[in-house]
Amino acid sequence: MKIEAHRLSGLGNIILLVDLIRQPGEINSPNIKKIIHESKIHFEQLITIEPTKEPLVNLSVQIFNSDGSKAKNCINGARCLTKYVSDSGLIPQKKFSVNTDGGIWQLSDNQDGSFSVEMPPPNFTQGQESLPTINSNKKYALEVEDISLEVALINIGNPHAVHYLCLLNKPDAADE
């Protein structure tokens, strides 16, 4: 079965949007790897757009990472979704709500050409059980390819490890 997808970028994240309102099809975790293998398309998240089952919500989505796992939120993807919905005329409203596994998004296509996302407060501690013990700097020490990193965890439905790096500006010899 062929399924049409729309490829957008949100701050460098490649998002595939699959409109399952205007075309038949089914996307689930097991067939994500098959989609990647057969289409040779790279993406960070694939978001399906589906009819809602909730009366006060305009759309529903499912969010998949490229490894097939499900995510609860994807803010870059939410803005891409807003652009797609607006540009394609899927629904006429410039402000609309979307049901996700992480809660209801309130999305806006703003007059200045930007897109806004309001979402429920995230669970910042989700996923910490899989990390090493927190150190005295309130960070997690990880070994990555023989390099020791201290990372913080930020989880807004799709966990991220953040490494803070301080770069010092050293004047060039010519500037001295």
Side-chain angles (χ1 to χ4, degrees):
M1 169 179 23
K2 284 198 171 215
I3 295 178
E4 182 178 320
H6 303 272
R7 189 171 187 246
L8 287 89
S9 175
L11 293 178
N13 293 122
I14 304 302
I15 310 296
L16 281 187
L17 297 174
V18 178
D19 184 342
L20 296 178
I21 294 174
R22 293 180 171 153
Q23 68 181 328
E26 181 182 349
I27 304 289
N28 53 41
S29 292
N31 63 21
I32 293 292
K33 292 252 185 207
K34 184 178 179 184
I35 291 168
I36 292 171
H37 177 73
E38 290 179 1
S39 67
K40 307 284 190 243
I41 295 174
H42 166 78
F43 61 86
E44 275 74 41
Q45 278 79 34
L46 183 148
I47 299 177
T48 62
I49 307 167
E50 304 173 8
T52 184
K53 295 178 177 107
E54 297 184 31
L56 300 177
V57 177
N58 301 98
L59 301 168
S60 288
V61 298
Q62 289 190 73
I63 306 163
F64 298 93
N65 296 311
S66 60
D67 67 359
S69 64
K70 287 189 83 175
K72 292 183 179 180
N73 278 307
C74 176
I75 303 309
N76 290 329
R79 290 194 323 273
C80 291
L81 173 68
T82 308
K83 178 170 179 41
Y84 171 78
V85 167
S86 181
D87 289 354
S88 71
L90 185 61
I91 58 176
Q93 297 95 322
K94 294 291 186 182
K95 293 184 179 194
F96 55 96
S97 57
V98 176
N99 188 37
T100 75
D101 287 344
I104 306 292
W105 289 340
Q106 300 297 329
L107 304 180
S108 300
D109 178 355
N110 303 315
Q111 289 182 349
D112 66 0
S114 66
F115 304 99
S116 301
V117 179
E118 292 180 36
M119 60 179 258
N123 177 351
F124 291 111
T125 61
Q126 183 180 9
Q128 288 180 339
E129 65 279 356
S130 63
L131 293 172
T133 306
I134 199 163
N135 66 20
S136 60
N137 295 330
K138 298 189 189 243
K139 303 277 187 301
Y140 300 92
L142 300 177
E143 294 291 324
V144 179
E145 296 183 9
D146 298 327
I147 298 171
S148 185
L149 296 175
E150 281 190 329
V151 298
L153 175 72
I154 299 173
N155 190 337
I156 56 172
N158 200 0
H160 292 71
V162 178
H163 174 68
Y164 298 95
L165 181 64
C166 179
L167 298 175
L168 300 175
N169 259 345
K170 292 186 178 180
D172 291 337
D175 293 338
E176 293 179 2

